[in-house]
């Protein structure tokens, strides 16, 4: 009998996860996976180490967690590929337009050492047997946010994992426009 009660309670408590998707479902999923606390931790670290523009960019990026990957995608409504995600964020948060492809974004930005990474910097990876085939935005504490691949959504990953370490191509920085009116904290 105890087993039936336990089964009933477990089923009842998990019922929202089995229901049809609603507008609240993504937030519930983020909470279950611990991403809400991860976001808070990342934003706290960013605020301590970055400029106002970088903080704004990372906050906007975190707001896009869960947006689906779409090859050639460059909008919240239809989804992003990696370079479309980065381009979108730089344009919306700091008003700077980057080239469309990851390899061109690497060429258009200045090289920095991995140990110089700050939130808002670009991190590049070789995921398709060619240099600079993938890009993401560094958020601090060894982590970056990106649109990974088909079937996945925008998420935060640890650059120190074996997969990303093996494929790391380099870090780049786009000098932030200090006079940008979108940045309230630039002074």
């Amino acid at each position: 009998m105890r087993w039936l009660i336990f089964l009933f309670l477990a089923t009842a408590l998990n019922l929202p996860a089995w229901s049809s998707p609603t507008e609240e479902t993504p937030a519930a999923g983020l909470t279950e996976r611990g991403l809400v606390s991860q976001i808070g931790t990342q934003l706290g670290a960013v605020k301590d180490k970055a400029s106002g523009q970088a903080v704004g960019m990372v906050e906007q990026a975190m707001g896009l967690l869960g947006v689906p990957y779409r090859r050639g995608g460059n909008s919240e409504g239809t989804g992003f590929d990696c370079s479309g995600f980065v381009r979108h964020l730089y344009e919306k948060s700091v008003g700077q337009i980057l080239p469309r492809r990851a390899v061109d974004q690497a060429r258009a930005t200045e090289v920095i050492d991995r140990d110089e990474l700050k939130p808002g910097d670009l991190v590049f990876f070789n995921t398709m047997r060619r240099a600079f085939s993938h890009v993401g935005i560094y958020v601090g504490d060894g982590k970056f946010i990106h649109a990974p691949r088909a079937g996945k959504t925008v998420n935060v990953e640890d650059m120190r994992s074996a997969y990303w370490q093996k494929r790391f191509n380099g870090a780049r920085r786009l000098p932030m426009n200090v006079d940008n009116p979108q940045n309230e904290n630039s002074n």
Side-chain angles (χ1 to χ4, degrees):
M1 184 67 170
R2 287 183 190 162
W3 180 250
L4 282 174
I5 293 171
F6 174 76
L7 184 61
F8 172 76
L9 287 174
T11 304
L13 291 174
N14 285 320
L15 202 53
W18 294 344
S19 64
S20 62
T22 66
E23 289 183 36
E24 296 175 350
T25 302
L30 292 177
T31 303
E32 289 175 14
R33 290 179 274 157
L35 288 178
V36 170
S37 63
Q38 180 182 4
I39 291 168
T41 303
Q42 291 302 317
L43 288 177
V46 167
K47 287 178 181 177
D48 291 341
K49 299 176 184 174
S51 72
Q53 286 182 326
V55 169
M57 181 188 317
V58 171
E59 285 175 340
Q60 285 187 10
M62 294 294 187
L64 296 173
L65 284 170
V67 172
Y69 177 93
R70 179 173 164 248
R71 183 180 164 106
N74 56 11
S75 75
E76 296 173 51
T78 59
F80 296 106
D81 64 10
C82 67
S83 58
F85 175 70
V86 168
R87 186 173 199 256
H88 173 83
L89 281 168
Y90 265 84
E91 183 177 359
K92 296 295 180 193
S93 63
V94 297
Q96 294 187 5
I97 298 175
L98 290 175
R100 180 60 183 90
R101 298 175 349 142
V103 68
D104 296 328
Q105 290 175 356
R107 290 181 189 132
T109 51
E110 58 184 64
V111 177
I112 59 170
D113 288 333
R114 188 178 189 149
D115 62 349
E116 294 176 41
L117 275 168
K118 292 181 183 175
D121 288 339
L122 301 181
V123 287
F124 291 90
F125 303 91
N126 177 344
T127 59
M128 300 173 76
R129 296 189 178 145
R130 67 177 189 271
F132 308 112
S133 55
H134 189 71
V135 62
I137 296 175
Y138 186 72
V139 296
D141 193 30
K143 296 184 173 70
F144 71 107
I145 187 167
H146 67 136
R149 61 179 158 55
K152 298 289 184 180
T153 62
V154 171
N155 67 29
V156 175
E157 294 201 47
D158 196 319
M159 291 174 46
R160 298 166 292 199
S161 74
Y163 178 86
W164 294 112
Q165 276 189 2
K166 182 178 177 182
R167 290 162 177 80
F168 182 74
N169 269 146
R172 303 286 192 273
R173 180 172 295 150
L174 183 69
M176 297 292 186
N177 180 0
V178 215
D179 298 329
N180 189 330
Q182 294 178 10
N183 178 16
E184 299 170 3
N185 302 323
S186 63
N187 295 332

